[in-house]
Amino acid sequence: MIEDLIRKTAADDDDAAEELTAIAAADPQRLAPHHHLMLDLDVLWPAALYRGAGADVVARVVERVDGGQTPDALNHLLLVLAHSGHPLAEQAMRRWETAPPPGSDALHVGPLRYAEEAGWTVAPDGTRRSLCGDVAYEWHLRPSTPEPDDAACPWCTSPLWTAADLPDAGDALAHTGWAGRLAVRTCHFCSCYTTLFTAVTPDGGSTWWPGNVRPDYIGRDAGPEDPPALLPVVGPRRQSPFQASAWHDGGSTLGGHPEWIQDADHPACPGCGLLMDYVGQLYGGDFDEYGEGAYYLHLHAPCGLAAVNYQQS
Ligand SMILES: [Zn+2]
Ligand SMILES: [Zn+2]
């Protein structure tokens, strides 16, 4: 069955590609025995199909990049390596930072930045760091009563929105090092236009970060609007960390890895410059039937800063 799906995907069958993607999300190892066939048929996209690829598959991809016969495929090949997460892939990506492979002049970012698409990065001290968690939960939006205080967005004057309120960090946030309650209050509307940062404290404190930079076009005309009176509540644990969806109802997910609509956008912490840890995503369609896009939540525990950004198609 999987082999059939791979052959259909090679023939540009989008439904087959989607089915393979769902398999790779639920149980990445199921595709591992088929990675060589995928390479043989030049199925490089979606690159997430190569999660958990083994050393020999990764070696083939590295060899192909070094060989430079298909410079047009370099973007996809680097994504494949990033998603494999394999140490050999990391080694090659580091090497290409200083010795760029053929075709890399057409890339928008350096080879190692591709790691962010798969939720990891190499810290300034050279150590590898995962930006995402190993554990994910369904995140259900439930009616909530507005906060009793009257904190408002200083830009558009709308009441602040509680994007998350977790009584304790739990295993979904283990990779962040956060301890205590985590609340993230921000502007539901302005966060659609720029990454908004929030100062957070382990007692659930959450305040607008004064360093947020207002783009010119925000809040000039629109009056205040009420954010949705819905709060994400933690549901059952997901089978794998890769099942968040930015396209389907019920896709909102605490922990695990995000499903980006555009390129990966892990914000740099304004406190220290390091990339922030990913916390979870809220699908626009889970707020109301006309909703779209997705809000992405991030945290840098050492600096006590959270962030929310948004993407749509
Ligand atoms: Zn606002
Ligand atoms: Zn920081």
Side-chain angles (χ1 to χ4, degrees):
M1 175 204 128
I2 288 177
E3 200 175 310
D4 187 43
L5 288 173
I6 291 169
R7 293 187 187 282
K8 284 179 175 165
T9 301
D12 293 328
D13 180 331
D14 290 343
D15 292 338
E18 203 170 311
E19 257 187 83
L20 281 181
T21 302
I23 293 169
D27 185 4
Q29 284 307 323
R30 269 187 72 193
L31 296 187
H34 307 277
H35 283 148
H36 280 294
L37 175 66
M38 286 165 54
L39 283 182
D40 291 343
L41 297 176
D42 214 24
V43 174
L44 301 176
W45 184 260
L49 300 180
Y50 287 87
R51 276 186 198 114
D56 45 352
V57 168
V58 169
R60 272 183 75 182
V61 178
V62 169
E63 201 179 296
R64 188 165 156 189
V65 171
D66 279 327
Q69 280 89 9
T70 54
D72 290 351
L74 181 60
N75 185 52
H76 284 171
L77 293 168
L78 289 171
L79 286 170
V80 164
L81 292 173
H83 280 284
S84 80
H86 197 280
L88 286 177
E90 181 189 334
Q91 203 180 79
M93 290 159 76
R94 288 172 183 262
R95 170 165 63 82
W96 293 324
E97 280 290 302
T98 47
S104 54
D105 44 335
L107 303 179
H108 297 293
V109 296
L112 206 45
R113 292 283 312 270
Y114 278 74
E116 294 168 34
E117 294 288 339
W120 56 280
T121 188
V122 172
D125 66 0
T127 57
R128 174 167 166 167
R129 179 182 147 216
S130 176
L131 298 170
C132 301
D134 297 328
V135 178
Y137 294 86
E138 294 176 18
W139 225 1
H140 300 152
L141 288 157
R142 296 283 182 256
S144 67
T145 44
E147 292 290 320
D149 69 52
D150 56 1
C153 171
W155 296 349
C156 74
T157 72
S158 299
L160 288 185
W161 163 59
T162 303
D165 191 352
L166 301 162
D168 59 79
D171 50 5
L173 296 191
H175 63 298
T176 69
W178 185 259
R181 179 179 166 193
L182 177 68
V184 179
R185 302 191 68 209
T186 189
C187 180
H188 187 72
F189 309 101
C190 294
S191 58
C192 291
Y193 300 102
T194 187
T195 302
L196 285 185
F197 297 96
T198 304
V200 291
T201 52
D203 58 355
S206 178
T207 50
W208 181 271
W209 184 62
N212 282 321
V213 178
R214 177 183 189 158
D216 284 344
Y217 48 86
I218 285 187
R220 294 278 179 249
D221 312 314
E225 270 186 82
D226 282 329
L230 295 166
L231 183 72
V233 173
V234 181
R237 182 171 168 169
R238 291 201 186 274
Q239 185 184 338
S240 93
F242 305 111
Q243 292 174 302
S245 173
W247 304 99
H248 299 298
D249 288 352
S252 300
T253 299
L254 171 68
H257 288 240
E259 182 176 50
W260 297 108
I261 295 172
Q262 310 288 342
D263 290 340
D265 187 8
H266 296 279
C269 173
C272 66
L274 294 178
L275 293 182
M276 301 177 88
D277 292 303
Y278 170 76
V279 166
Q281 87 180 56
L282 296 167
Y283 166 54
D286 286 341
F287 291 101
D288 71 78
E289 58 180 312
Y290 305 108
E292 55 154 359
Y295 293 87
Y296 302 89
L297 280 66
H298 316 267
L299 174 67
H300 199 229
C303 295
L305 287 168
V308 175
N309 54 9
Y310 175 85
Q311 292 186 345
Q312 63 180 12
S313 54

